[in-house]
Each structure stands twice: as C-alpha cells, then as structure tokens.
Amino acid sequence: MKHFINPSDVKNVQELVKAGLAQKANPLSHQHLGKNKTLGLLFFNSSLRTRLSTQKAAINLGMNVMVMNVGSDGWQLEFDENVIMNGNKAEHIKEAAPVIAQYCDIIGVRSFPSLTDKKADYEEQVLESFRKYAGVPIVNLESATRHPCQSLADLITIAELKKTARPKVVLTWAPHIRALPQAVGNSFAEWLNLTDYEFVIANPEGYDLAPEYAGKAKITHNQAEAFAGADFIYAKNWSSYKHYGQILPGNEDWIVSAEKMKLTNQAKFMHCLPVRRGLIVEDAVIDSADSVVIQQAGNRVWSVQAVLKEILEGM
Amino acid sequence: MKHFINPSDVKNVQELVKAGLAQKANPLSHQHLGKNKTLGLLFFNSSLRTRLSTQKAAINLGMNVMVMNVGSDGWQLEFDENVIMNGNKAEHIKEAAPVIAQYCDIIGVRSFPSLTDKKADYEEQVLESFRKYAGVPIVNLESATRHPCQSLADLITIAELKKTARPKVVLTWAPHIRALPQAVGNSFAEWLNLTDYEFVIANPEGYDLAPEYAGKAKITHNQAEAFAGADFIYAKNWSSYKHYGQILPGNEDWIVSAEKMKLTNQAKFMHCLPVRRGLIVEDAVIDSADSVVIQQAGNRVWSVQAVLKEILEGM
Amino acid sequence: MKHFINPSDVKNVQELVKAGLAQKANPLSHQHLGKNKTLGLLFFNSSLRTRLSTQKAAINLGMNVMVMNVGSDGWQLEFDENVIMNGNKAEHIKEAAPVIAQYCDIIGVRSFPSLTDKKADYEEQVLESFRKYAGVPIVNLESATRHPCQSLADLITIAELKKTARPKVVLTWAPHIRALPQAVGNSFAEWLNLTDYEFVIANPEGYDLAPEYAGKAKITHNQAEAFAGADFIYAKNWSSYKHYGQILPGNEDWIVSAEKMKLTNQAKFMHCLPVRRGLIVEDAVIDSADSVVIQQAGNRVWSVQAVLKEILEGM
C-alpha cells in the first residue's frame, strides 16, 4: 500500500481487517518497523479520536510523530492552480506538500468538506493535492467525502462482534442541528460494500447518499423496516447530498430509540462519535450493554496501526 | 495511589514529598517504569508550567505523552446528565472520557472553574466526571477548586528551605485585576493542614476561603499581624468565595511590599506563577535573594514525577 | 556556541555550513548526543517549516521536544521592565524565561516584530530578554530582525549548488500585499556578507535594508541590472525600514518573472517560503527546473541540526 486515501488504495480489505485484529492482539509486535521514521499529522479541522489514536498507533510502531493544526499553527493554504495569491492564503499546496514531505516519511491529513462546493469536495481536492504533490505516502484522517480509518475500525468491530457469517448491518441517518459532512456515511457504505454482509441504508427522503458510495446497498426511507432483524445499527447524521450541504426540515423522529431497537435482533449500537445524545440516540440505547461505541473508538488504534504498518513495510 | 485528584487520594503526604525530593536527586532513576505507557494531557484552559513540567516528568519516567487543548483541538464537552445536546457541546463526557482512556494509560486534566456556578465548581464536576467515566488513573492539573500538583511542589520547596522543624507559613491574599479561581489558595491550605507547620491565612474581609479548605489554619484579616515572624510568605490572589467569583472593592494595599517583608523572619517569598508584578508583589521583593519562585516552579517537575511514579507502580 | 541568536554567536560560519552538510549526509550520526536532553520550542507566531524542521532535527539528535504556542497555550508575556502589570499580559519574561529553563535544556523562540516600534524591534527585545533571563542556550527561530536558521540553510543550499567558487548572489525585493518583517532579508544579507560571494541587493527606493545588515553588499534600485549574470536569485518581500513597517505605493512590477530570469546565468531561484505565487514570483519560475525552494526548505533540518549539535557539544 502506497497511500491510504480511499479503498482503491487497499489491496485486500479483509486482510487489512485481520491485520488490525493482529495488531490489537499484539500491539508492540512491530515496534521496530517505524524506528527513525516520522509521521506528520496535519489537522485542518478538529479531532479527538483520530488525533490521539493515530499518535498512539504510530508510537506502538516506534515512529516519531509531529502534530500540526495547519490553519492556526501555520498558514492558510491555497489549492487552486494558476491563481494570483492576493487573498488570505499565504502558501500554495504545491510548496506546502513537498516541504512537509522533507520532514515526514508519512503524512496524515484531516480536511473536512466546504459543503458549499460539491464539485471540489467530491473531487477530494485537498487529499488528492497532497497525493499529487507531496511525494510521500498520504493517510486520510477524514477527507471531504471519506473517513477510511473510521470505516476500517468499524469493519474490525463488526468482525469482532458478529454472531453469524453474514450479519444484517444497517446504516441509519439520525437527526442533528448542524450541517455535517457525508464522509462517515459515504465511507461506511463504501467499505461495507466490500464485504458480503447484508447491508441496508435507511434515511429520510432527500438524504440519499451519492450513488457511487451507496453502491449495492439496499436503500430505504422506512427506518422501522430497516431495523427489523438487524444485527448492527450504525447511526450517523449527514447533510443532504442532493440539496448539497443542507438540513431539510423535519425528520427529528429518526432518533435511534430503545423502542426502535426492540425491532432488531438485539443489535449492537454503533456510532463513530462524537455523538449528540438526545438527538442522534436516546441515553437508554447508548448506555445499554449493546452499545459498542467505546470498543469501536478503541479500534481506531488498530485500524490505523494496520494501515501504517502496511505502508511502512512497503517503503 | 489510583488517582491524584485531591489529598484523600494520597496515602501519605510526607512520603510523597520525600519521593519528590528523591526524583529531584535522581531524575532518571525510574526511566523504565513508564516504558510503553502513554500519558494524555487535556487542557481546557491555558497552561505553561503545568504543560511543560508534566511532559518533562513523564519523559523522565520513560512515558509517551500526547497533549491536547480540548476545546480548540477537539470538541466542546457536555458534563450534565440527561440533556438533549442541541447546543454548542458536541460530545458528552460519558463518551469522551472512556474513549480517551482507550488511548492513554493515565490522563491529566486541567479545567478551571466557571466562577458562576458555585455548586458545580465545588462538586468538581469535570474532574470527578473523568474519575467516574474514564476507567484509568486521573491526575488533577488544576481543577475548579484545587491544584494539588502545585501544592505538592510547594511542600517540596518548603521542605528544602525551612530552617526549623515547624516554620511559620503565611498564605496571603494579594490584589489582582481579574476574578481568579480559589483553587491555588484552597489547595495550598488543604495541603498545609496535612503538615504540622504553623499556618496562617491572611486575607481581606469577604475573601475567606471555604471552611473545608481553610481547615485548622489561623485566619486573620490583618496582613501585618500575619507577616510578623513568618518564615514563608506565599502570595496569591483569589476571588471571593462568599460573594462567589466576585472582586470586592478596595484592598489594593494588600500588595506584598519590601516594607511588609521586613516584618518577617527574612521569609522566603513564594508564588505559584504567573504573577502580576506591581499588583501582587513589588519588583523589589520578587527580584530579591529571598524570592524562591523559580525554584518552586522547577519543583513542579518533581512533584508530578513523584505522583506519576506512584500511579505507575500501582498499575 | 552558547546561543544561536545572531551571527556573532557563531565562531565560524563556513564550518557551520560544513557541519550542516555533514548532518545531511549522515542524519543519525549524533543520535546519542541529545539523549535525555529536552528542547522547548516557543512560538509567538505561526510557523510551518521552522516548527517541523526543528522538531525533526532534534529527533535526529535524540532529543525530546516540547512545543508550545506561547500566547494561546499559555499566557501573554510582558517584556518591559518596572511596569505595573494591570493589562492583558499575565506573566513577565523575568519569570517565564527562567521557569521554562527549568524544564528545557535548550529553548527555541520565534517572535516576529511589531513593525510599529522600530527601537524595540531592532533591539531584539524578545530574543535578548530570553538570552538575559533564561540561563540556558537560546536558538533564534526567527526574531524581529533576523532568521539565522533560514540564512544558514540558504548558505548550505548555495554551497550545494554553486558552480563557481564565487557565484553572483542577488537578493531581490518582490511585491506582497501585507507588511512583512525585514528579518529574512536582513539575515540573508548579514550571512552573505560573511562569505566572499559577489552579493547584490536589489530593491525599490524606500526599501533599503538597515545599513548594519546590508553591510558591504552592492545595493541597486535597478532590478534588471542586478539580475544580469546572476547565479542565484533570492526573492523576498519586506516592508520599508525607513518608513518603518509600511508598504510604499507601486512596485508591483518587481515580481520575479520568467522574462527577467533570462537575464541571469541560468540562476537558481530561491525563496524562504511561504511564497505568494503571482505576486512574488510567476508560476513559470517557481515551477521550473531551476527553482530550488523545496531543497532549500529541506535544508532547514540540517541547518538547525548543525546548530543544536554544536550547542549540545558545548554543554
């Protein structure tokens, strides 16, 4: 694996899930692999889990880590080509990326979408610019349209918990007060489609994910139908893809409730976090024994550790 | 020691002071104790001494350290139970604490008081929530009502400098232009009360510390009386506990002056820093040979190193 | 070398250039030199290259590193003497510097000029206060009037690329939309004057650097004349020294263009970065094979690594 930006960078998703479970079983097994190698973590946006779990994974692999909040620690970056840089952006990605690569063997980048420029967002301008100009491996720490470190952790979590070979996995939209990216929903769908699990996406009308991400999933606008017999309920809010970046009126009743969970096959409750209690999910659900959100967050270490390990092995 | 949140977490304060002095004498004596252990430092508020001294102590113990400014690097946290999270707080402590504990063996937390909600502040909502939900040892890096790493460093400093077995130690309120927490004053009092030193607290009327912190100390509103024959003058401002969080008019003459220091038994001048020169203390005092504020700040390393060492030994 | 604040701290500039090249050839040759030594990096201002390259160099030398954004992580600092601190500055450098030195063996400091108080800026109040009060070696990570880590990297780059013993090196002013410090220009001039290269400074009228920095350089207000036969074109904007901190009207035509580069002896194009494309330099120049800005940025590691190595050897 050269980069880890989207699933097409991955040779074999199931092998990567197994590698994550192996790292979890033996966290320090490859502690010499990253010796004298440096990981740079660039945050254009807030991060808790990704920030800490990626540092932890790199430490487990013996790497050095340098963390930077790009906008506040450094300079605003320009990504458009052939512009006269007379605005508030002091540095072009054509310099910034290769410069950072002078100091880092691998670069992790988090950059949320604008939610206003659908084209730039879905072309993954920021991550693909790093890929194009840096010259070193790039790890996607959540981009405009994807969050593959999260999705791999999700697959690891399902692999640990599933009771049948082909569980029914439901991704359900849930309400929020802010316009959020589609990245986690897109990415979970994209990765689930690489398994043979039964996969259903439930969301209100107007909230269908982009078809290239939803892929072969069954899509329904009936949440109860989706929940029936489910083994995993994965809740997440996203803003509309069709009415790009907007929150459509209504749909507050899409909260994941204890009542709705009764429809499932005693499903495990999943969420990538942070989660808004009382909007996305009732306390009774997330506080129940079937909530696995902490285990899921813990698996973020093993997900990115498997990714970094494979990149290091290929260097 | 499991946690280090308040003195009741400590088995034997005098032994901890000795452990701090032993770490100072031999900083790298336990460099293998923290190997492959990770300390997470969470700052809800500004920090210089605590930020750097705690990192340094952890490094001396061979630990890895991850530092995070919670609000700006990550998300605003909710601490109230059973709320609908439709405000500006994106994550609940019930998730945040156990998630961070997935990545850290020990968590240090700094969180100042609101100074508006006396009940929440004095119940130590933030630190006690971390204790309740994280599941790993918590170190208090200054909480709403206490600053035990500072107080332990203060006891170490007094132990180094005292010329008699039972010195007279005076905690004196001093003026400031901003409403400051009572934490350092409370905590110094709480810890001094665990020694057999002669202990006097001098403050203007209306500024008495909470009785449970002042404890057996002699309280006076006459600064000159307190200074008479003192071996240590510990200056600190705090806002009113009675008129919670307020600055009461007057009292600018409570500055620690060279003139007042003449009343003492050539007392050492102490302050936790940062200190406002010209408000809290005259330049002539803090620049004198009897000022020990830098030594005191240096002892912050050995204070927290003794704490981390004891926690690590108990894991 | 005790400190690295200005060239007078350096015994032999040519030896330091050689030391940088030696570190580049063998980055881990002195990995044990910094063992159990801690470098503190204090940023009063934004930084990308300096932030990352200095961490990288310290890691290569086996040091521990602690990074702090002074104003936002900690407290605003007061540098004036004998003041009543009743403003927004919570801590005096007379405490902050020696306190930080309790935790760090070497301290790196970045602090830009006010561009309003010429006297304080050119007296290097911030860096010289750290030198005066810290008691440990201080490394200048760009101060009010100098950027010696950059200048040393520039000399290393020229040493690598020059085709003749005495190349013609041109420092040319170029346009910008913001008022920038004179530090990089000053410093480049100061260091070039320590070589025997042919050195020309080209800038519009009103933009002459301070004479003590320009030194023996030939100064011209005719850019084309300067470019003729040049081996290195070093572009940089700075605000006026004479009309202190101001941007004078006009001079947009001072952009480094492909057309002007034709006047040179196929000169290498240099800039310290970040650079504004379309203002300072045309895309055609910075994207050409003769642009060495990335190599130059990469040499920031070896520059500061040579400096830290020499300081560590002297401790």
Side-chain angles (χ1 to χ4, degrees), chain A residues 1-6 9 39-43 50 54 63 105-111 127 130-131 134 136-143 146-150 152 300 303-312:
Chain A
M1 182 157 49
K2 168 74 178 163
H3 301 279
F4 184 71
I5 297 177
N6 65 53
D9 293 312
L39 174 66
L41 298 182
L42 307 181
F43 291 97
T50 300
T54 309
M63 299 188 80
D105 299 284
I106 303 174
I107 302 174
V109 181
R110 159 160 294 192
S111 176
L127 266 285
F130 271 96
R131 186 205 293 264
V136 301
I138 303 299
V139 174
N140 184 340
L141 303 178
E142 188 171 345
S143 64
R146 289 181 177 97
H147 195 353
C149 288
Q150 179 65 53
L152 176 56
R300 293 292 308 277
S303 160
V304 72
Q305 191 164 324
V307 167
L308 292 172
K309 172 182 162 288
E310 193 171 321
I311 291 174
L312 285 167

Side-chain angles (χ1 to χ4, degrees), chain C residues 4 6-7 10 13-14 16-17 146-149 151-152 155 186-195 213 307:
Chain C
F4 184 71
N6 65 53
V10 181
V13 162
Q14 290 309 325
L16 201 54
V17 169
R146 288 180 177 98
H147 195 353
C149 288
S151 303
L152 176 56
L155 288 199
N186 281 344
S187 201
F188 185 73
E190 197 174 34
W191 285 69
L192 250 289
N193 282 326
L194 297 171
T195 71
Y213 292 89
V307 167

Side-chain angles (χ1 to χ4, degrees), chain A residues 31 47 49 56 276-277 297, chain B residues 36 38 73 87 91 95 103:
Chain A
Q31 202 170 18
S47 171
R49 273 149 290 275
K56 179 73 177 182
R276 299 253 181 171
R277 288 167 171 254
Chain B
N36 296 321
T38 300
D73 289 348
E91 180 147 32
E95 278 72 57
Y103 315 132

Side-chain angles (χ1 to χ4, degrees), chain B residues 240-272:
Chain B
S240 176
Y241 173 73
K242 186 176 177 186
H243 308 283
Y244 192 64
Q246 292 183 38
I247 299 180
L248 312 179
N251 307 309
E252 290 81 2
D253 57 339
W254 277 70
I255 187 169
V256 177
S257 65
E259 195 62 30
K260 291 177 195 170
M261 289 298 281
K262 288 183 187 162
L263 301 172
T264 71
N265 181 28
Q266 204 185 345
K268 299 299 183 189
F269 174 77
M270 299 179 74
H271 190 283
C272 61

Side-chain angles (χ1 to χ4, degrees), chain B:
Chain B
M1 181 157 49
K2 169 72 176 165
H3 301 279
F4 184 72
I5 298 176
N6 66 54
S8 71
D9 293 312
V10 180
K11 283 174 211 149
N12 185 322
V13 162
Q14 291 307 326
E15 289 301 314
L16 202 54
V17 170
K18 281 183 198 165
L21 290 166
Q23 290 295 306
K24 184 172 185 172
N26 199 352
L28 303 177
S29 60
H30 291 73
Q31 203 170 16
H32 292 279
L33 190 60
K35 195 163 151 54
N36 296 321
K37 293 278 190 301
T38 300
L39 174 67
L41 299 182
L42 306 181
F43 292 96
F44 289 82
N45 303 94
S46 293
S47 171
L48 185 151
R49 274 148 289 275
T50 300
R51 186 183 294 269
L52 297 182
S53 65
T54 310
Q55 285 185 70
K56 180 73 177 182
I59 291 168
N60 283 343
L61 291 166
M63 300 187 81
N64 305 308
V65 190
M66 303 195 293
V67 182
M68 192 170 161
N69 293 327
V70 182
S72 58
D73 289 348
W75 317 101
Q76 298 286 328
L77 298 187
E78 175 64 64
F79 289 87
D80 288 339
E81 305 270 339
N82 305 317
V83 292
I84 294 174
M85 292 171 60
N86 55 7
N88 63 345
K89 294 173 181 172
E91 180 147 32
H92 201 283
I93 187 64
K94 290 172 85 168
E95 278 72 57
V99 164
I100 295 166
Q102 299 287 312
Y103 315 132
C104 301
D105 299 284
I106 303 174
I107 302 173
V109 181
R110 160 161 292 194
S111 175
F112 290 170
S114 65
L115 291 184
T116 54
D117 184 341
K118 190 177 191 167
K119 185 169 175 293
D121 288 348
Y122 272 73
E123 286 177 351
E124 290 285 7
Q125 188 183 36
V126 173
L127 267 284
E128 291 301 336
S129 294
F130 272 96
R131 185 205 295 264
K132 185 173 177 185
Y133 293 118
V136 301
I138 304 298
V139 174
N140 184 341
L141 303 178
E142 187 171 345
S143 64
T145 74
R146 290 182 176 95
H147 196 352
C149 288
Q150 178 66 52
S151 304
L152 176 55
D154 297 337
L155 288 199
I156 289 171
T157 307
I158 294 173
E160 289 181 313
L161 293 168
K162 70 189 172 74
K163 294 172 189 164
T164 60
R166 196 168 170 270
K168 180 178 177 182
V169 179
V170 176
L171 169 63
T172 181
W173 184 95
H176 203 282
I177 56 163
R178 298 218 174 137
L180 298 191
Q182 294 103 35
V184 170
N186 281 343
S187 201
F188 185 73
E190 198 174 34
W191 284 70
L192 250 288
N193 282 325
L194 296 170
T195 71
D196 62 353
Y197 303 157
E198 184 184 348
F199 181 39
V200 179
I201 306 175
N203 56 255
E205 292 197 30
Y207 280 106
D208 287 3
L209 293 172
E212 63 269 32
Y213 291 90
K216 65 182 184 186
K218 179 181 171 186
I219 298 168
T220 174
H221 301 149
N222 181 330
Q223 198 180 27
E225 179 190 295
F227 273 48
D231 296 296
F232 293 90
I233 297 294
Y234 194 110
K236 184 71 185 83
N237 172 271
W238 56 84
S239 59
S240 176
Y241 173 73
K242 186 176 177 186
H243 308 283
Y244 192 64
Q246 292 183 38
I247 299 180
L248 312 179
N251 307 309
E252 290 81 2
D253 57 339
W254 277 70
I255 187 169
V256 177
S257 65
E259 195 62 30
K260 291 177 195 170
M261 289 298 281
K262 288 183 187 162
L263 301 172
T264 71
N265 181 28
Q266 204 185 345
K268 299 299 183 189
F269 174 77
M270 299 179 74
H271 190 283
C272 61
L273 307 182
V275 66
R276 299 253 181 171
R277 288 167 171 254
L279 292 181
I280 296 279
V281 59
E282 289 182 359
D283 284 356
V285 175
I286 195 169
D287 289 333
S288 78
D290 289 321
S291 171
V292 298
V293 295
I294 305 303
Q295 178 177 343
Q296 195 183 349
N299 284 335
R300 293 293 308 277
V301 177
W302 321 115
S303 159
V304 73
Q305 192 163 325
V307 167
L308 292 172
K309 171 182 163 287
E310 193 170 321
I311 291 174
L312 285 168
E313 285 171 341
M315 288 174 75

